[in-house]
Amino acid sequence: MRFPAITRPGPAFLATWLGLAITWFGSGLTTFAIGTFMYQRSGSITQYSLFQFFYFLPMMVLSPLAGALIDRWDRRWALLLAEVGAGVGAALIWLLLLASDKGLWQLELWHLYGLIALGSCFSTLQLPACYAATTLLVPKEHLGRANGMIELAFGAGQLLAPLTAGQVLGSIGLHGVVQLDVLTFAVSVTLLLFVRFPPAPPVREQPGQQSLRRDITEGWTFIRTRPGLLQLMVFIGILNLITSMIIVLIYPLVLSFAGVSTLGLVLSFAGVGMVVGGVLMAVWGGPKRRIHGVLGFYLLSALALFAAALPPSAPVIAGGAFVFLMCSPVILSSMQAIWQSKVPPGLQGRVFSVRRMLGLAANPLAALLCGPLSDYVFEPLLVPGGALEHSVGRVLGVGTGRGIALLFVVLGVIILVHTLVSFLSPRIRHVEDELPDALDGPDAPPALGPSPGPAVVG
C-alpha cells in the first residue's frame, strides 16, 4: 500500500516537528541514563565530564561544516541523515550494552566515548536543518509561533526525560532505555519519509562551482558584514554564557541549604517554566516587533536572578528558576524569527551553524568560569570573617552558598546593564527595519557584501 506524501506546508511542518519531539525525548532519556550509569559505575565526576566533553565537542567543531552541507543539500535529506546516523550510533551502544549483559563483552566506560561522539556528529545537522526547513514550511508571519513549538518540544524533552528516566531504568535497564531511543529515531525517520519540503531558493552569487571551504566561511562573512546581526549574535551569546553559568551554579546553591531530592524538585519546576514559555510562544507567536520580545524578556530574566538574594528557600529559588527559564523560549524564538526573516533561505544552514557553534562554546567556558569564581572569589567574601560579612552579608546572609547568591545578583546586574546598553544601539533596536526581509523573493539580499540597508551610526 502506498501512502500519500504530505505536501502542504502545515502538515509537513507538524510531521517533522512531531518526529523531532519524539527523538528529543528518547535522546534525553539516553543522555540522562548513560550519564548516571557512568557516574555510578566509576564514582568519578571526571568520567561524567568526559561524557559531556565527547557529546558537545563534535557539535561545536562540526557546526560550520554542517551548515555548509545543509545549504547544499535538500533539507529533508539532511534531517534524514541526522536521524539515521544518530540512530545507528544509539543502536551500536545498545548492542554493546546487550553483549555486556549477556557476558559476551567486557564493557569499559571508554568504549562508549567513540559511539557517543559518533551520534553527536550526526546530531550536529539536526537543529540547523530543522530551523532552515522551518523557513520553507511556515509563512514568515508564523515563524515566531513555529519556533515556539520547537522550543516547547525541546523543553518538554528536557523536563520529561529526567523525570521518567528513573522509573524506566528500574524496569527495563540501561540497554532497554537505549533501545527505546533507537525506536524514537525510527519513528522520526518514518515521518520524514512521507513529507516533502519545498526547495530552497538559490542564493545569487558569482557563476561557477563554489568550494566547500568558502561555503563554511560564508556564514561568518554574512554575519560580519551586517553589524545589526553581528551585535545581535554577541547579545544572545552573553545570554547563553550566563544561562550556562546559572545551570551549573544552581546545583551548589540549592545543596548549600537543602538535599538532593529538593534539588530535583527545583530543577523540575525550572523545566516546567521552559515548557510554559514554549507554550506561550506557540500560542501567542511573540510581539509584532520581535526585538521587543528579546529585550523585554531578557530584562525579566535578570529580575528573576535576584531571587537568590532572598533568605535561602527552595520555593523562592524554584520560582526564580521558573521565571528565568520561562523567558528563554520567548527570547530564543523571537531572536530566531528575526534571523530566519533576514537571512536568505539558501544561506541559513551556514549562518545558523556559525551561531550554534558560538552558542555551544558557552558550555565549556561557563564550566571553566564557575568553579574559580565561586570557590576563590565570591564564596570567601561571605563566609564568617569574609571581606563583605558586615556589609553585603547583612543583606544576603553569611555562610555556605551566600557567595553564589551574590554571584547570581551580579549576573542579574550584568544582564540589566547589557540589555539597556544594547537597547541604546540603533543597530540592534532597528535591526528589523535596517535589514531587508530575505523572505520576500526578488528583494532578498545577496549572499555576500554589506547590508544594503540605510547606514545607521551606533
Side-chain angles (χ1 to χ4, degrees), residues 12-369:
F13 171 75
L14 291 175
T16 303
W17 173 83
L18 178 61
L20 290 174
I22 294 171
T23 293
W24 283 329
F25 174 71
S27 298
L29 281 177
T30 298
T31 301
F32 184 89
I34 291 181
T36 303
F37 168 75
M38 286 188 164
Y39 182 73
Q40 289 179 335
R41 180 159 174 171
S42 67
S44 169
I45 297 177
T46 300
Q47 291 281 6
Y48 178 76
S49 299
L50 285 173
F51 162 63
Q52 297 287 333
F53 175 81
F54 282 106
Y55 181 76
F56 283 111
L57 183 65
M59 290 187 180
M60 184 178 70
V61 173
L62 295 178
S63 280
L65 174 62
L69 293 176
I70 288 167
D71 285 337
R72 286 176 170 235
W73 297 343
D74 179 274
R75 305 290 160 80
R76 185 174 72 103
W77 284 106
L79 280 170
L80 277 168
L81 177 63
E83 298 296 273
V84 170
V88 168
L92 292 174
I93 293 177
W94 172 66
L95 291 173
L96 197 63
L97 293 170
L98 190 63
S100 175
D101 288 346
K102 293 184 177 296
L104 303 175
W105 180 269
Q106 183 62 41
L107 180 66
E108 300 292 341
L109 294 183
W110 62 267
H111 293 157
L112 298 174
Y113 294 149
L115 297 179
I116 290 167
L118 173 65
S120 178
C121 289
F122 286 98
S123 295
T124 305
L125 293 166
Q126 195 181 65
L127 269 180
C130 174
Y131 280 122
T134 300
T135 309
L136 303 177
L137 300 173
V138 177
K140 64 179 181 180
E141 62 269 20
H142 297 307
L143 285 175
R145 186 172 288 107
N147 292 330
M149 291 177 64
I150 294 171
E151 293 293 332
L152 171 61
F154 186 79
Q158 298 298 303
L159 167 66
L160 297 175
L163 292 176
T164 310
Q167 297 179 348
V168 173
L169 270 173
S171 58
I172 62 177
L174 178 59
H175 68 275
V177 170
V178 180
Q179 185 181 21
L180 182 61
D181 189 19
V182 175
L183 292 176
T184 64
F185 282 113
V187 171
S188 180
V189 168
T190 301
L191 288 171
L192 284 169
L193 288 174
F194 293 107
V195 301
R196 295 293 181 268
F197 291 3
V203 179
R204 296 196 298 270
E205 57 186 18
Q206 295 180 352
Q209 184 69 31
Q210 185 164 279
S211 69
L212 184 61
R213 177 180 294 181
R214 185 181 170 190
D215 274 354
I216 294 173
T217 60
E218 195 170 34
W220 166 246
T221 303
F222 182 90
I223 297 172
R224 181 176 55 81
T225 55
R226 287 157 177 81
L229 292 181
L230 180 61
Q231 290 186 27
L232 207 55
M233 185 174 69
V234 173
F235 179 82
I236 203 68
I238 293 177
L239 172 64
N240 288 338
L241 178 61
I242 292 178
T243 300
S244 298
M245 293 180 69
I246 296 302
I247 291 173
V248 173
L249 291 170
I250 197 169
Y251 283 75
L253 177 66
V254 175
L255 292 175
S256 67
F257 65 85
V260 176
S261 60
T262 301
L263 173 62
L265 291 174
V266 169
L267 295 178
S268 296
F269 201 62
V272 172
M274 187 173 235
V275 172
V276 169
V279 171
L280 175 64
M281 277 302 291
V283 174
W284 173 38
K288 185 175 181 181
R289 294 283 296 178
R290 287 160 178 157
I291 193 64
H292 292 166
V294 175
L295 297 173
F297 279 85
Y298 204 10
L299 287 173
L300 180 59
S301 71
L303 298 177
L305 295 181
F306 296 141
L310 300 174
S313 166
V316 169
I317 298 299
F322 176 93
V323 174
F324 186 83
L325 286 187
M326 182 195 71
C327 294
S328 182
V330 181
I331 296 168
L332 296 178
S333 297
S334 300
M335 177 78 70
Q336 187 65 30
I338 294 173
W339 284 81
Q340 286 169 322
S341 62
K342 301 304 177 183
V343 180
L347 273 174
Q348 287 186 0
R350 281 163 278 186
V351 173
F352 294 170
S353 290
V354 170
R355 291 176 54 221
R356 187 161 187 253
M357 178 186 68
L358 297 178
L360 288 170
N363 294 292
L365 181 58
L368 290 174
L369 290 174

